[in-house]
Amino acid sequence: KAGVTQTPRYLIKTRGQQVTLSCSPISGHRSVSWYQQTPGQGLQFLFEYFSETQRNKGNFPGRFSGRQFSNSRSEMNVSTLELGDSALYLCASSEGRMNTEAFFGQGTRLTVV
Amino acid sequence: AQSVTQLGSHVSVSEGALVLLRCNYSSSVPPYLFWYVQYPNQGLQLLLKYTSAATLVKGINGFEAEFKKSETSFHLTKPSAHMSDAAEYFCAVLGGSYIPTFGRGTSLIVHP
């Protein structure tokens, strides 16, 4: 079974631009969650999608958004990028809603300059 | 609200020595607790999980953790460290909100 795939692995953007990150979950997994990892704030939950609906959202501004497609693939979008958005963005998938075994992708390293 | 505290941002051990990584949590409901490992430039891999069954949980790679409700702790141990255990370890709690909270991580350094 293929694991969680995140694309791209690395990305460099300029302040003010927007970016879209993609996550393909493990086949059969219906829940996809997104996390931001930075040295200063650690690992923070962004949001969770299950069956194309956002089920939970962390404490992030509205510039961070996401969606899930009928095949469970998910995208997250960050608009009006700020330097502080530079981070490793991780996606995790699980069979059910935030169930007890989430599988993580390798992440997308976003650098905002 | 829930929270996780990992004592020690860095833990250094010799190869073959006991590994002990500390995690204390707070949660308003009986929690699920997890330990994850992260290698450089990789995502997180689940080591083990506590889901209100046995309090002593065995995971992969020889790691285990014991849930102690009275101490609100979920420390991770391994009897004998291996060089390949060098990585970042994260403790996480999942309460009734389904929003996970992660600790700040502990970097395990293994000396030959």
Side-chain angles (χ1 to χ4, degrees):
Chain A
K1 226 180 203 181
V4 178
T5 303
Q6 291 188 246
T7 55
R9 287 292 312 277
Y10 302 92
L11 206 49
I12 300 175
K13 289 287 189 179
T14 305
R15 268 184 306 174
Q17 287 186 312
Q18 74 166 15
V19 66
T20 299
L21 311 181
S22 179
C23 173
S24 294
I26 290 173
S27 177
H29 285 193
R30 296 166 61 192
S31 172
V32 173
S33 298
W34 289 89
Y35 300 82
Q36 182 195 64
Q37 186 177 25
T38 60
Q41 299 298 319
L43 261 164
Q44 293 186 286
F45 172 81
L46 278 158
F47 27 65
E48 179 210 0
Y49 285 87
F50 182 81
S51 294
E52 302 179 63
T53 302
Q54 187 181 91
R55 303 292 179 148
N56 260 317
K57 191 178 193 307
N59 190 25
F60 279 83
R63 300 186 297 107
F64 291 81
S65 63
R67 59 179 176 168
Q68 187 180 34
F69 302 96
S70 58
N71 62 358
S72 294
R73 190 178 71 84
S74 177
E75 290 181 346
M76 69 162 280
N77 183 277
V78 188
S79 62
T80 319
L81 284 165
E82 301 176 0
L83 295 178
D85 296 332
S86 294
L88 180 67
Y89 289 89
L90 293 166
C91 162
S93 78
S94 56
E95 288 185 14
R97 274 211 61 204
M98 291 299 299
N99 75 9
T100 59
E101 188 147 11
F103 295 83
F104 282 78
Q106 292 186 298
T108 294
R109 172 76 62 186
L110 172 64
T111 302
V112 182
V113 297
Chain B
Q2 58 195 29
S3 66
V4 176
T5 302
Q6 290 185 239
L7 292 174
S9 58
H10 295 83
V11 169
S12 182
V13 300
S14 298
E15 193 173 19
L18 171 73
V19 175
L20 170 61
L21 304 181
R22 300 178 187 272
C23 172
N24 288 89
Y25 71 92
S26 69
S27 175
S28 57
V29 299
Y32 291 166
L33 294 160
F34 309 83
W35 275 100
Y36 288 90
V37 61
Q38 185 178 33
Y39 297 98
N41 297 315
Q42 299 292 319
L44 278 68
Q45 180 184 10
L46 181 67
L47 277 176
L48 49 81
K49 60 189 179 189
Y50 167 76
T51 58
S52 76
T55 57
L56 182 62
V57 181
K58 293 188 185 299
I60 62 172
N61 301 339
F63 284 95
E64 63 180 39
E66 186 172 7
F67 172 68
K68 291 187 176 180
K69 185 178 178 180
S70 60
E71 299 177 8
T72 59
S73 68
F74 190 58
H75 302 331
L76 182 70
T77 61
K78 181 174 180 177
S80 176
H82 193 271
M83 296 295 290
S84 61
D85 295 326
E88 190 85 13
Y89 291 80
F90 293 92
C91 181
V93 61
L94 185 66
S97 67
Y98 285 107
I99 295 177
T101 299
F102 287 83
R104 296 306 299 268
T106 297
S107 178
L108 177 64
I109 302 159
V110 183
H111 297 285

